[in-house]
Structures are given as structure tokens and as C-alpha cells.
Amino acid sequence: MSGCEEPPARAVSMKFQATNTADHILIVEGETDLPGGSPLKAELRNREDQVLSRDSAVVRKGKFYFDFDLTTLSGLSLYQVRVKFDPQDAPLGVRRTTGLWGQALEGKGVRDKVDGRNGRYFEQRIDVLLTNDATGQDWEGRDFGAMDVSERSRITGILEKQVEEKPGLRSAKFALARAYIASDGRELAAGSRSHVLLQDVIKIKDDDAIGRQVQQILQNIDLKEATVEAAKVEREKLTSGAKYLNERSITPGQSIGAFNLGMSYRILQHRLKFDSPPIFSEAQEFVVAKPKEPTGVELTFRSTDRRLQSVRTTSEAFRLPEGFGVGSMLHEIQQAYGTVAVPTPTFRQVRVQADGRVVYKGTIRTSGLEFEIRRVVDPVFPLPVDLVDAIVVFEEKL
């Protein structure tokens, strides 16, 4: 890598297996820690080291596969499969981690080139015994998620034919279900083709290796269905207006309950019923609306954009994080927040009750929050009692 720092040494490993199928196809499938996108070449050789067939593949998510047509071969014989990675055939992104000439590669299977060119390559070999009476199937032990689309489609067609001809073949049904799931994530759902196949498999037997795998997949489907159903119920609650009845927190400068400042009247009119629908006009800068439920809430909208400008509540149901709300005593709030943040307001007398007690009103405006305080003074015991009459949340302008 001219002008670039050499990559650190990279140990390479690879393992694969070859399956000789009854369809005269040799399936080679394996795993490696070579970088994704690494090109691989495979050869099938006989005892005389003659190359009988070649195939190529690319590493995807640490996996790869090849297939060789064996129809021209016959009889019992020993063959060898060689899988090779040459960095010089790889894209630049791969070569940055292996070295342009493979100089960063290390481990068993790493070889130096002997054809006069500098560099290294990686090769793994296994011996394979091929017979005419192979009983394996093209789909047994396959990882359908690692296959490319054309290979998966080919195997899926074989499996569909197997299941049609032999409906009692559990392994074929299980493999076909896995193939469907690998092709389309929507197959992991109740009522899908794969779900029907898996239920058939487990009806026959559920205490072997296949049965245990099927049980796990069916549990995942049930869990997914439960999650989807819960989300559906939650959406129905939101669209029905339930959240406006259930949410009871007060956040200064942001919200009272589920009434968030800035939200559009258009949204609320489809969720709530109002004592009387607000009439927006240019003559009024703000319009107040009172929903029938929850009670004790007043919503003030701007006429210009019909968005929520402030929320006022006289209900004791709504509470600040510290637990204070309508009905709380002023001195308790001051003990929690301090008199600097919540000072004692200037009171004005509003009325004298029939029992002689004098009622005063005062307002405390703090950060994004306003307390309306009611002071009651008993003529016999003239100690004032200051209570929160209402709370208003408004957007604090910076």
C-alpha cells in the first residue's frame, strides 16, 4: 500500500463441508472470517490432480457456498475440493485489510506464491468420497439465508416438489418453511405458508432435533404476533383519545397530561369532544376550548395557526413530578422549589364568603409554569391558608 500504513496481521480461518446429493450435485458450504466481499474460487480435482470442475463465490456475512455438477462422474472415487482466496482478485476495500499482496495474512492455509510474483494467498482443502448411491438431499443442512436468490429459488422448487409428492416427509417440510422465511420475513407470521408447514411438522413429532427447532420458531412467531397485537391496541388507544384521559403528568413549558404545547387543533378535534367547538377568527388572537373529558382542562389555541399556546387545569388529577398540583399548599411547594423560584404572590381581595372568611387571589409565574393561588383568611383565626387553585403551562420564550 504505497503511501499508506501497512494493515495489522490478520489470522485467517475457514471451515466447510461437502454434501454429495442424490441429485448428482456436490454442495460445498462453509464459514470464514475473511472480510465480506472477499472473492473465492473452488476447484474439484481427482486423484491425478486434474481439475474436473470450477466455481466461484463471494463471502457474505462470513458464509459462502459452491455447487459442482457430478453427472459426468461415475463410480466410487476419492476427490478433493480446494477453496482459494487471492487478495489480488479482491476489491480494494478487502485488500486494505489483507494487504495489497496478502502480506497481512497469517495462519494455517496461508501460502506464499511460487510463480515469481510477490504475495500470499489462502487455500483450504478437503477430500470427498463420491458415490453413485448417495442418499443425501440437496437441501439438507443448508443455510438458506446465506444463499443467493437464484440458488434459494432452485432449492425451494425442489422442496415444493418433495412436499407435494411426499406430504409426510417432515425434514422437507421443515426445510421448505426455512426457505420461505429466508426469502420473505413476512413468513414469520401466523397463517403464513411457513407457519402452516411448521405446525404440520410438529403435529407428527415434537421431541426430536427438528421438533425442538420448530418449537423455537413457532414461539418466535407467537411472540411477534403478541407484539404486533399489543402495538395495535396501543395505536387504537391513541386514536380513540384514551391517552388524553390516562396521562396525568405536568411538565413545565411542555405539557399537561397528553396536551402538548404546539399540537394542532385538527388532531384534537378527531380525538375529543368539546363543550362547544372553538370558533377561530382574525378578530381573536387566542381561542379557548374545553374538552368534555378530561374535566377541568382549558386549552388556549392561537387563531393564526390553530396550535396549542397554553394549557390550564383546575383538576387535582394532574401532578408535577414532585407530586404537587391543584389543591397543594403554597408553603409546601416553596419548601420543594425555594421561594426564589416560587415567591409569595401579591394578593388582591376578591370576595367575602357567607361565613365571613375573606378570599384573595394571586398569581406566581415561573419557568414555563403559572400557579394561581387562593388565599383564605378566617376572621376568628386570621392565619392565611394558601392553596393552588389552578396550574397553567405555557411555552417560555427565550
Side-chain angles (χ1 to χ4, degrees):
M1 291 188 178
S2 178
C4 298
E5 184 178 335
E6 290 290 338
R10 183 186 186 96
V12 181
S13 65
M14 177 183 292
K15 61 180 180 179
F16 57 88
Q17 60 182 10
T19 304
N20 177 23
T21 76
D23 298 316
H24 301 290
I25 300 291
L26 180 67
I27 302 297
V28 177
E29 194 166 24
E31 298 179 353
T32 180
D33 54 7
L34 283 167
S38 297
L40 302 177
K41 293 181 180 179
E43 295 177 344
L44 178 65
R45 297 180 176 235
N46 60 14
R47 291 186 176 186
E48 288 72 38
D49 207 31
Q50 294 176 314
V51 178
L52 305 176
S53 184
R54 290 186 173 92
D55 197 8
S56 60
V58 175
V59 176
R60 292 188 175 89
K61 297 181 179 180
K63 298 181 180 181
F64 62 89
Y65 80 92
F66 307 94
D67 55 65
F68 298 101
D69 187 353
L70 304 179
T71 53
T72 59
L73 306 180
S74 62
L76 177 65
S77 186
L78 186 67
Y79 296 84
Q80 187 178 78
V81 175
R82 297 183 182 182
V83 177
K84 179 180 179 181
F85 165 70
D86 188 340
Q88 293 187 47
D89 298 329
L92 183 59
V94 172
R95 299 180 75 182
R96 288 186 185 278
T97 63
T98 64
L100 287 177
W101 313 105
Q103 61 268 34
L105 298 177
E106 290 187 354
K108 185 178 180 181
V110 176
R111 296 173 168 83
D112 292 320
K113 293 183 177 180
V114 294
D115 56 2
R117 294 185 299 170
N118 294 325
R120 290 178 170 184
Y121 67 94
F122 175 84
E123 186 176 83
Q124 191 87 322
R125 305 174 183 181
I126 61 169
D127 293 328
V128 182
L129 182 66
L130 303 183
T131 67
N132 282 337
D133 60 349
T135 58
Q137 297 293 337
D138 200 3
W139 37 266
E140 289 183 345
R142 303 298 302 277
D143 183 349
F144 294 101
M147 296 180 186
D148 62 28
V149 176
S150 60
E151 174 70 359
R152 188 164 55 230
S153 297
R154 183 181 73 82
I155 301 297
T156 300
I158 295 173
L159 285 165
E160 288 174 336
K161 185 177 180 181
Q162 284 272 356
V163 170
E164 182 180 353
E165 294 176 351
K166 302 177 181 179
L169 191 58
R170 293 173 72 239
S171 59
K173 284 187 175 182
F174 178 46
L176 182 56
R178 292 192 298 113
Y180 285 153
I181 291 170
S183 299
D184 188 349
R186 291 174 295 184
E187 288 288 338
L188 273 174
S192 64
R193 296 174 300 173
S194 64
H195 189 243
V196 173
L197 287 167
L198 293 170
Q199 287 182 318
D200 286 346
V201 169
I202 207 166
K203 283 178 184 176
I204 299 172
K205 190 176 182 181
D206 63 0
D207 60 350
D208 61 350
I210 290 178
R212 288 188 290 273
Q213 292 179 67
V214 170
Q215 284 180 338
Q216 183 61 56
I217 296 174
L218 289 175
Q219 287 175 6
N220 291 338
I221 290 176
D222 290 342
L223 179 61
K224 184 177 179 181
E225 289 294 310
T227 302
V228 170
E229 183 60 28
K232 179 182 176 182
V233 171
E234 191 61 29
R235 284 195 303 271
E236 290 175 350
K237 286 182 180 179
L238 295 178
T239 56
S240 67
K243 71 173 183 177
Y244 300 101
L245 300 177
N246 298 327
E247 179 58 48
R248 298 296 186 181
S249 61
I250 299 175
T251 304
Q254 295 184 27
S255 63
I256 289 183
F259 299 101
N260 297 301
L261 299 183
M263 70 190 320
S264 172
Y265 170 73
R266 184 177 299 176
I267 295 175
L268 292 173
Q269 70 177 342
H270 296 300
R271 309 284 192 270
L272 302 171
K273 293 181 179 180
F274 292 89
D275 288 336
S276 58
I279 300 174
F280 296 94
S281 67
E282 293 182 0
Q284 290 181 292
E285 184 178 0
F286 301 107
V287 177
V288 176
K290 296 181 180 180
K292 291 185 177 180
E293 291 287 342
T295 59
V297 174
E298 295 178 6
L299 308 175
T300 300
F301 297 91
R302 292 185 294 266
S303 293
T304 52
D305 57 6
R306 301 189 180 187
R307 292 191 175 275
L308 194 58
Q309 188 264 345
S310 65
V311 186
R312 180 177 182 269
T313 182
T314 57
S315 170
E316 295 186 5
F318 299 95
R319 293 279 149 176
L320 288 157
E322 294 79 9
F324 302 115
V326 172
S328 295
M329 300 187 72
L330 176 58
H331 77 88
E332 293 178 341
I333 298 175
Q334 289 176 327
Q335 287 177 353
Y337 296 111
T339 55
V340 174
V342 185
T344 300
T346 300
F347 288 101
R348 58 181 178 82
Q349 183 175 329
V350 292
R351 69 178 184 277
V352 179
Q353 297 181 164
D355 58 5
R357 290 190 293 180
V358 184
V359 179
Y360 300 84
K361 290 282 188 177
T363 301
I364 304 170
R365 195 175 181 87
T366 183
S367 180
L369 197 66
E370 186 176 273
F371 295 100
E372 296 179 15
I373 307 298
R374 173 169 50 92
R375 168 172 284 185
V376 179
V377 181
D378 191 301
V380 179
F381 302 99
L383 293 176
V385 177
D386 299 336
L387 299 172
V388 177
D389 242 10
I391 293 178
V392 181
V393 167
F394 59 89
E395 186 175 2
E396 187 178 21
K397 296 182 180 179
L398 300 177

